[in-house]
Each structure stands twice: as structure tokens, then as C-alpha cells.
Amino acid sequence: MNSVWVRRNRLLGLLAALSACIGVGNWVYAAAQDAPPSTTVAEAVWHDSVGLIRAGRFEDATSQIATLARSDAAVGKLSSWLDAWNEQVHMRAEMTLADYEQYVRQARKFHDRDDLPKALGYAVRALNNAVSKEAFRREEWVKKLTDDAMAKAADLRSKNEWLEALSIYYQIGEIYEHDPKVRKLVRECRTHARLDALYTKDSKWEERLAGIEPRMVEEAFREISQKYVEEVNFRTITEAGLEQMLQLTESTALRELFPSLRDDVERGGFDARIRANLAKVRNADVVDFKVAREQFANTLKINRQTIQLPEALVISEYMEGCLEELDEFTAMIWPTQIKEFEKHTRGDFTGVGIQIRQHYNSELKDYEVVVVSPIEDSPAYGAGIQAGDIITKVNGAPILGISLNKAVETITGPTDTSVTLTVRREGAPQEMEFVLKRTKIKIQSIKGVARDPVNDQKWQYMIDPEYGIAYVRVFSFQENTVEDFVKTINQLAQNKLRGLILDLRFNPGGLLRAAVQFSELFLNENELIVSTRGLHSPKWEIPAGRRGPFRDLPLVVLVNDSSASASEIVAGAIKDHHRGLVLGERTFGKFSVQNLIQLAQTDAHLKLTTARYYLPSGRSLHRDENSMEWGVEPDIPVPLVSKEVAKIIQGFRKRDIIGGQTGQADNLAQKVLSDEEADLKAEMERATKKSAKSADSPGETGGVPATETAPTETPATQPVESQDATSAPAKDGGEEETDRNDRPDIDPQLDAALLVMRAHLLDLSYQMVARRSALIEEPRSE
């Protein structure tokens, strides 16, 4: 009897130990040698197989598990999962190879026809699908294509066709991303394209520049010299500011606006004196803060004595050049921009609660404003605004052809004021009017795997109810993110939650404090989350302030190259503490800290990079222009091609749509999201603007994207391909091959995460069964 109780207690103790270690932090790194001693060869093979899966070696795991008999239920399940994964990998590889061959064929064909922009476009697509990108860049036909394209772009520049030249340089830069010469050419063309877009008779540029004064720049230079993250090269930024002035005199748009720029004498005098100062700066022994300030003052003086451009315009453009050379996140926030900036750094704003985008109407030959989706618990949702609605008027005024920014400005307004939207809806006999009261809109940053079929304002999170695996997508890190996440996980815990897949893909960042509090949920007390330090700021360490309530929950984190800033801090802390497994693609690489500094007791502010973030391992993987290593590298890389990324984005957006008629969500999403003209226009707008993935505020990382603008999950680093790109006639009358996005509606990265999590949870059950059998078969003591 005593021996029975001994065996029983031992069994209960082992089962309790197994239950307790279901969420041991370093489970993802467990290899076969870390597994409990096996009593049979079969158990050893099993543990080896699961260890290989945890390491992302799925093919090796398949070979290993194949040596075991499938009559075992656990072995059969694991084998079937691996077989399905390997079949998917094989199918994806075949489709990628077919696309690669088609793109190469098309690129060479259009190169022969001297259609260089189209040839480059296909070359970029081929690069994205190439097995080896370095080998692709060494291909002779690629070198010849880029040489010819560079010559073509130079010719376009000479004709002031800046946007066309930019499109060529931009694509060459996609192929040779580390070429400083190409980067400089892109920057110059982008500046000219931006000037042509901003300074038109109807652009109201004077309003945007209102309140700008010289003292703001002088104060900005002082702050940069005293607080920038590293030693400032004032020679470089002063040269960039003066070069920006030379580009003003070449701008076609500015010449149309200001007669003085059409005066050869005045323009020539300005140009000659700026060039003389530029040469002086380049040849000076020392260029420090004082010299930079003097050169700025001299520039204003030269302008007054020659072309007499509005001083606010000169100041704004001078600083545009200087700060672009400093880094991509440091920027001036001028007096008229501060309210919009503050809205972007909060998780809420005042409006009616809709996401909108532009849609090209071929009949009207202009762009309309389309509702992508109303937002949960918003006035628009409550009033019945639907995805796919075309907004034709705001307060009775037509808005056909206006920009998205102008549409947002028109629709939003003070809290508790009303706005009337007139919409055209497919199938409706006539236009409808909605009178909506503006209110504070809170952006929900926690999303699930699917909308609740009963209430589309709620999410479903269980992606595998049989194994208790939940999926949570964190859209950005806002004030309410941690609270909403904890509430979600606690509810799931009541539904037999055993493992979590945390999706941080396309997460641009958010509040630093939210990222820290979020990381704490999974770590032990006092474990380091992140630290910061800069040239003028002491090292600052942020440890976990408590024992995380979810520190034992098995965890896989999905990331990609649009996971930035705060999301990188979370993924990096989880990886460095071996708390979970990171899967996907290398993150964006924004490990810099910006502070918002008010200038000279005015409404102008300087958003200045003052420090770098460092992961618990001591690494700061910030991506600069010349960086060869950056971001958080995944434990299991699962790279995707652009068509696969586009499919995932479309899936996200389809699930985000609410407020439509039953059964129409897919159709509405397809109509809104597959508009090729709008996608191409949006991509060109991204190419022509200064890159800024975030809008930071003091002590915060990448800002929260504004709503009532275009949807925000599109990665800034990669174009979104149209769902249906139909064939088009070529210059010589030949047909362009159809390039449809025929990829299946799957998410390979999520599927890989599911495989790893299922294998882990199945392994726990396998160990439990094996040990129970060993105990029961133990010889009895008499």
C-alpha cells in the first residue's frame, strides 16, 4: 500500500512539475539534450524532432520524425503538420521561381524597347523574388540596365522633369540600397518634386509657413549642439542647407510663383553668393555651431538683397536641408504643425471615426474619397457609414479631387461640433446625408484573428481552440494598449489559454512607457527591458518593475521590416531574455530616442534625436544610411516576397472592415484595396516625401498613426502590389504579360508560428504521457 502511495505521490509531483513548466521562459531554445532523460530511443528521436522545430529547422525535423512509427497519435499529428508546412514551402518556392523568371523576362524585354522605368520596375520585382540578391545585382544585364537608366534620369533632370527622374533613381536605389551616390540623387529629385507639389497658387503655402522666425533656427542649432545623440558635423549640415538654397532657384514651381526667380540678374546674384559661401564652408578648417549660425544669417541677408523670397519659406527650406542630413527623425515642428503633431502622438483624436483613402474614378477623371471602414464605437459607425461609401461632399461642399490631408482637415474639427457628410453608396438610388457629431475617437490597438460573427465590433482571438493557442495583433503601443491586452489575455485564460502568438508586424511603435509596461507582462522583476544613452545624456536603464503575470505563458512573437521603435523594444527584450521565440523578418531598426524641445518661447519645436536605445544584451541596432546590421533578427527567419506581404495586408484590412452589409466585407475590401491607380499614387507620394515612420514626443518612440487618413498597415519600406494587374500594351504594340497576385490567401509566418507552438504544446503532452507510463510500469515494492 505504501508503495502505491509513493508511486501516486511521485506521479502527482511530476505532473505538477510538468504543468508548472508549461510556460518556462526559455522553452523555445530547448534542444534534445535539454529534454528529460529518455527511456527509449523513440523518445530521444521525438525530443530531437521537437528541438529542431523550435530551432526553425523544419526540414531536418521532418527527416527525423519520419524514423518513428506513425501509429503513435502524437507522432502522426507532428508528421502531418510538418508535411503540410513542407508542402506549403515547396508550393511557395515554385511560385516565387515562376515570378522571378517572368520578371527577368519582362525586365529584359522592356529594356530592349527602351522603356526603362518599366524595365526597372520588373527588375525590382525580380530582385524581391531572387534566391540570392547579391548574385542578382552582379548579373551583367542588371548592370547594363542600371547604367542606361542612370543616363536616362540625368537627361530628365536636365529638363526639370523631377518626378520622372525620381521614379528612376528610386527604383535603382531599391536594387542598390547602399549606394550613397544614388541616395543623394534620390534626395535631390525628391526635394524638387516636393517643392513643385507644395508651392503652387492653390496650395495655401503661406498658411503652412505662418509664424516662422529666424530666432527659431538659431535656437535649434544651439539645442542640436548641446543635446544631439552624437558629435554633430556642422560642416555637413551647413553644406546641406546651402545646397537646398541652390535647389530653390532651380524649382519650376517657385519660378512661376515669384517673379524675382525669373530675373536672371537677381537669381544669378543669389546663386553666385550662395555658392561662394558653400565653397568657404567646404574649405574652412573648423565649422562649428557658431559658423553654422553665421551662414544661416548670411543666407537670409543674401535673400533680402537679391531674390527676396518670403523669409519663412527660406527658413523652412534651409532647415529641411540641414536636418535631412542630420538624421531622418530629427525635424522642425513649425507653429502651424504642432496641433497635428500632438494628435499623431496620442492614441485618440477628435473626429467622426472613419478611415479613408483616395480612389481614382476613371469616368470623372479625378480622385474621390472612399471610406475604408468606420471605427468601433464611433459616430460614423453608429450612424451607419459603411466601408466602400464614396464621400462626395462635406458640409455641402464638393470634395472631388482634394488631397487626403485636406479631406481630413475638413472632416475633423472641435469636439461636440457637427459635420454633414454626403455619400454615394453602390446600389442606393440616391446620395445620402449623415449629420455626425465630432467626438474624441479612441484607436483600438489590440486586434484578433477574426471579427466576432455576432458583433463585428468585437474580435475573436482563439486561433486554435483545440490546443488553446490565441493570436493577438498589437497595432501600436498607445496609452490604453497594456490595459486592453491584459483584459484580453485574462478573458482568454478562462477559455483554456495555453499559448500565445503575438503579432507585432507593421507595428510602427508608439509610447515608450507602453512598450515597457507591455514587456513587463512577460518578464521577471528587475530584468532589464531597455536602456538609453547619448553623448550628452547619462545611461538610463529601465528594468521590469514587477513579476509579469504572463511570464510563464508560451510565446511566439511575429515581426517584420515594418516593426519599428517600441515594437522592437518589446521583441528585443523578449528575445534577449529567452522569454519567447521571435519569428519572421528583421525589424526596421529604429533604436533612436527623440525629444520635443520648445524653441525660443515660441510655438515652434525641435524634434531632436538625443539618445539611442539599447537592448538588454547591450546592442543598439539602429539603422543609419550606411548600416549593414540593424534591427532585431528573428530566431526563426521566414522571409516573404512582396506578393505574400500584399496578401497579408489585404487579409488584415478585410478583417478590420466593420459596418458593412452582411456578407459584403470581402467585396468591399476588394473594391477599396485593389485600386491600382491609388496604390501607385500612394507609393509615389511615399517616394517623394522625407521618410518619417514616426512622430515622436518627449521620451516616446515611434508615434501612433493618425486615423481618418489612409489605412496605416502598409509597410513604408515596400510597395503594395495590386491584386489584379492586367495586361497593358507595350510601346511597340506588344502585350505586357499579366502579373496577377495569384498567391493563396495564407500567412506563411503565422503558419510557421502555429507549427512551432503546436509542437511545443504537443511535446508537453507527450512527456506527460511517457512519464505516466514509466511510473505505472515501475516494479512494485513488496
Side-chain angles (χ1 to χ4, degrees):
M1 179 64 70
N2 288 340
S3 62
V4 172
W5 278 103
V6 169
R7 289 197 305 274
R8 177 183 179 277
N9 289 336
R10 188 182 301 167
L11 174 60
L12 290 175
L14 283 169
L15 292 177
L18 284 169
S19 298
C21 72
I22 279 178
V24 169
N26 62 355
W27 69 268
V28 293
Y29 292 96
Q33 62 266 28
D34 299 321
S38 301
T39 58
T40 67
V41 173
E43 286 183 48
V45 172
W46 169 270
H47 291 304
D48 279 344
S49 302
V50 174
L52 290 168
I53 291 174
R54 289 167 176 160
R57 296 168 58 185
F58 303 124
E59 189 174 345
D60 292 339
T62 303
S63 301
Q64 184 85 311
I65 202 72
T67 63
L68 295 177
R70 284 191 178 228
S71 56
D72 184 300
V75 172
K77 281 190 175 182
L78 194 58
S79 296
S80 65
W81 294 336
L82 285 167
D83 289 344
W85 170 257
N86 291 325
E87 183 179 344
Q88 183 186 119
V89 169
H90 179 70
M91 176 269 294
R92 291 173 57 218
E94 284 188 338
M95 298 186 80
T96 299
L97 177 59
D99 282 340
Y100 173 79
E101 292 174 343
Q102 177 186 351
Y103 296 149
V104 170
R105 186 166 59 248
Q106 291 286 82
R108 302 187 74 161
K109 178 169 68 177
F110 284 103
H111 185 195
D112 291 342
R113 296 172 179 173
D114 201 33
D115 191 340
L116 297 176
K118 188 160 285 186
L120 279 173
Y122 278 110
V124 171
R125 296 187 196 186
L127 174 69
N128 181 257
N129 288 266
V131 174
S132 169
K133 289 179 170 52
E134 287 305 313
F136 177 83
R137 295 183 180 104
R138 291 194 296 268
E139 292 275 356
E140 285 301 320
W141 72 269
V142 176
K143 294 179 181 179
K144 180 66 166 60
L145 171 60
T146 51
D147 287 344
D148 291 347
M150 288 287 285
K152 175 67 174 178
D155 180 60
L156 291 167
R157 279 170 55 92
S158 69
K159 300 173 182 177
N160 292 332
E161 296 178 7
W162 302 108
L163 202 58
E164 291 79 3
L166 171 61
S167 68
I168 290 178
Y169 287 134
Y170 181 76
Q171 292 185 95
I172 294 174
E174 290 288 286
I175 298 173
Y176 300 101
E177 58 182 341
H178 297 295
D179 189 325
K181 178 183 177 183
V182 176
R183 283 202 302 264
K184 190 174 191 304
L185 292 168
V186 167
R187 184 178 299 173
E188 290 176 357
C189 289
R190 187 173 60 208
T191 294
H192 280 289
R194 184 180 57 79
L195 291 173
D196 289 349
L198 286 179
Y199 297 103
T200 64
K201 292 180 180 179
D202 301 324
S203 65
K204 297 184 178 179
W205 56 268
E206 300 100 325
E207 294 180 9
R208 184 176 59 85
L209 301 179
I212 295 179
E213 303 174 14
R215 59 181 176 144
M216 298 171 181
V217 173
E218 296 170 359
E219 184 68 17
F221 280 154
R222 186 186 307 279
E223 295 289 346
I224 289 169
S225 69
Q226 296 175 352
K227 297 177 181 176
Y228 192 62
V229 62
E230 57 193 28
E231 197 68 44
V232 179
N233 187 335
F234 276 104
R235 185 191 307 275
T236 301
I237 66 173
T238 303
E239 288 177 4
L242 293 171
E243 288 171 351
Q244 188 86 351
M245 295 297 96
L246 296 176
Q247 293 190 67
L248 292 184
T249 65
E250 300 171 358
S251 169
T252 304
L254 289 177
R255 287 187 186 185
E256 291 180 1
L257 271 181
F258 304 108
S260 60
L261 287 177
R262 299 194 293 271
D263 185 315
D264 292 341
V265 175
E266 297 294 343
R267 188 182 69 254
F270 177 85
D271 190 87
R273 292 172 67 179
I274 292 294
R275 290 185 186 278
N277 281 350
L278 183 58
K280 187 183 299 184
V281 170
R282 287 171 176 165
N283 296 325
D285 293 333
V286 176
V287 179
D288 56 13
F289 154 64
K290 293 182 179 180
V291 173
R293 187 176 59 184
E294 289 169 3
Q295 283 298 331
F296 167 69
N298 286 339
T299 298
L300 296 184
K301 181 179 179 181
I302 294 170
N303 175 63
R304 295 188 199 109
Q305 294 174 349
T306 55
I307 55 178
Q308 298 181 356
L309 293 180
E311 194 159 84
L313 187 155
V314 174
I315 295 170
S316 172
E317 291 302 324
Y318 192 92
M319 289 304 286
E320 181 78 20
C322 290
L323 299 187
E324 187 170 29
E325 187 62 39
L326 197 60
D327 71 67
E328 64 177 312
F329 299 106
T330 292
M332 293 292 293
I333 312 298
W334 300 113
T336 59
Q337 298 171 330
I338 190 64
K339 288 184 180 179
E340 184 68 17
F341 174 82
E342 290 173 344
K343 183 178 79 173
H344 279 245
T345 57
R346 298 192 308 264
D348 55 54
F349 65 99
T350 298
V352 298
I354 51 174
Q355 291 180 328
I356 58 177
R357 66 166 292 165
Q358 285 186 314
H359 161 86
Y360 186 77
N361 187 316
S362 56
E363 293 182 3
L364 298 176
K365 296 186 178 359
D366 214 333
Y367 287 88
E368 298 178 310
V369 174
V370 184
V371 175
V372 174
S373 176
I375 296 171
E376 297 94 330
D377 297 322
S378 70
Y381 181 89
I385 296 283
Q386 296 184 5
D389 284 348
I390 308 291
I391 302 176
T392 60
K393 300 175 185 176
V394 177
N395 289 332
I399 62 170
L400 180 69
I402 74 170
S403 68
L404 275 180
N405 285 340
K406 184 62 178 177
V408 171
E409 180 184 327
T410 306
I411 295 171
T412 56
T415 303
D416 293 332
T417 60
S418 295
V419 62
T420 301
L421 302 186
T422 304
V423 307
R424 186 178 74 249
R425 180 173 298 167
E426 185 176 355
Q430 59 188 19
E431 290 187 340
M432 297 172 283
E433 284 193 352
F434 295 88
V435 180
L436 306 173
K437 179 176 283 189
R438 299 180 179 109
T439 186
K440 182 173 285 189
I441 305 297
K442 186 164 287 188
I443 304 170
Q444 300 300 318
S445 59
I446 303 296
K447 303 187 179 185
V449 68
R451 290 285 183 179
D452 188 297
V454 177
N455 182 356
D456 65 1
Q457 293 193 84
K458 295 184 177 180
W459 287 94
Q460 292 180 328
Y461 297 97
M462 274 295 178
I463 193 170
D464 187 339
E466 179 184 357
Y467 281 86
I469 302 172
Y471 167 91
V472 175
R473 175 160 62 104
V474 179
F475 174 81
S476 60
F477 289 98
Q478 305 170 14
E479 291 283 1
N480 56 339
T481 298
V482 174
E483 179 183 352
D484 291 347
F485 180 78
V486 170
K487 186 184 303 182
T488 299
I489 297 301
N490 286 338
Q491 290 173 350
L492 290 169
Q494 300 172 17
N495 195 23
K496 300 181 180 178
L497 173 67
R498 296 181 64 210
L500 173 65
I501 296 173
L502 174 64
D503 196 344
L504 299 181
R505 293 174 298 177
F506 310 110
N507 182 322
L511 303 176
L512 171 61
R513 58 183 175 273
V516 169
Q517 292 167 1
F518 195 92
S519 301
E520 282 181 331
L521 299 174
F522 300 99
L523 301 177
N524 287 308
E525 189 174 11
N526 294 324
E527 286 186 317
L528 182 62
I529 295 173
V530 67
S531 61
T532 69
R533 59 180 179 270
L535 179 64
H536 301 287
S537 57
K539 184 176 181 180
W540 178 42
E541 293 187 341
I542 308 176
R546 58 169 176 165
R547 296 181 68 205
F550 311 133
R551 64 190 178 279
D552 292 329
L553 180 66
L555 179 66
V556 176
V557 182
L558 295 178
V559 296
N560 67 358
D561 62 358
S562 291
S563 304
S565 199
S567 57
E568 294 179 283
I569 289 173
V570 174
I574 287 170
K575 178 179 178 179
D576 281 3
H577 287 296
H578 307 305
R579 175 54 194 87
L581 179 136
V582 178
L583 185 150
E585 296 172 278
R586 177 168 58 178
T587 61
F588 180 79
K590 185 187 183 297
F591 279 72
S592 59
V593 183
Q594 280 76 43
N595 279 304
L596 193 65
I597 303 168
Q598 188 170 4
L599 298 174
Q601 297 180 338
T602 69
D603 288 335
H605 293 71
L606 173 67
K607 180 165 70 75
L608 181 65
T609 300
T610 57
R612 295 268 190 257
Y613 288 112
Y614 290 81
L615 295 178
S617 61
R619 298 170 300 154
S620 180
L621 300 178
H622 185 72
R623 182 178 188 176
D624 294 312
E625 281 192 341
N626 300 314
S627 296
M628 301 303 291
E629 182 181 359
W630 66 86
V632 178
E633 288 280 1
D635 299 303
I636 298 181
V638 182
L640 304 178
V641 297
S642 59
K643 282 186 177 180
E644 293 172 323
V645 174
K647 281 288 186 178
I648 292 170
I649 293 171
Q650 283 190 345
F652 283 169
R653 290 182 177 174
K654 284 180 182 180
R655 293 191 289 274
D656 285 348
I657 289 176
I658 64 172
Q661 297 175 17
T662 304
Q664 289 190 347
D666 285 354
N667 294 333
L668 290 169
Q670 185 67 26
K671 176 183 176 182
V672 173
L673 302 174
S674 299
D675 184 343
E676 183 177 11
E677 295 92 345
D679 280 341
L680 291 174
K681 183 174 185 292
E683 183 57 35
M684 184 53 66
E685 286 176 350
R686 278 196 293 273
T688 59
K689 293 177 181 177
K690 178 181 178 181
S691 172
K693 281 184 69 66
S694 63
D696 303 351
S697 58
E700 298 170 358
T701 67
V704 178
T707 315
E708 295 185 12
T709 62
T712 53
E713 279 118 345
T714 304
T717 55
Q718 195 167 22
V720 176
E721 298 186 24
S722 174
Q723 170 74 10
D724 294 307
T726 54
S727 59
K731 282 185 176 179
D732 62 358
E735 284 289 317
E736 183 178 353
E737 293 181 43
T738 299
D739 181 27
R740 297 182 181 277
N741 191 345
D742 54 357
R743 296 300 173 112
D745 293 327
I746 59 174
D747 184 339
Q749 292 170 339
L750 178 55
D751 288 346
L754 270 171
L755 172 57
V756 172
M757 184 64 77
R758 283 168 173 163
H760 169 67
L761 297 175
L762 184 62
D763 184 42
L764 294 177
S765 302
Y766 185 94
Q767 292 179 36
M768 197 173 294
V769 171
R771 292 185 177 184
R772 183 187 296 122
S773 299
L775 287 169
I776 292 173
E777 293 170 4
E778 181 181 292
R780 293 187 179 183
S781 301
E782 296 299 334

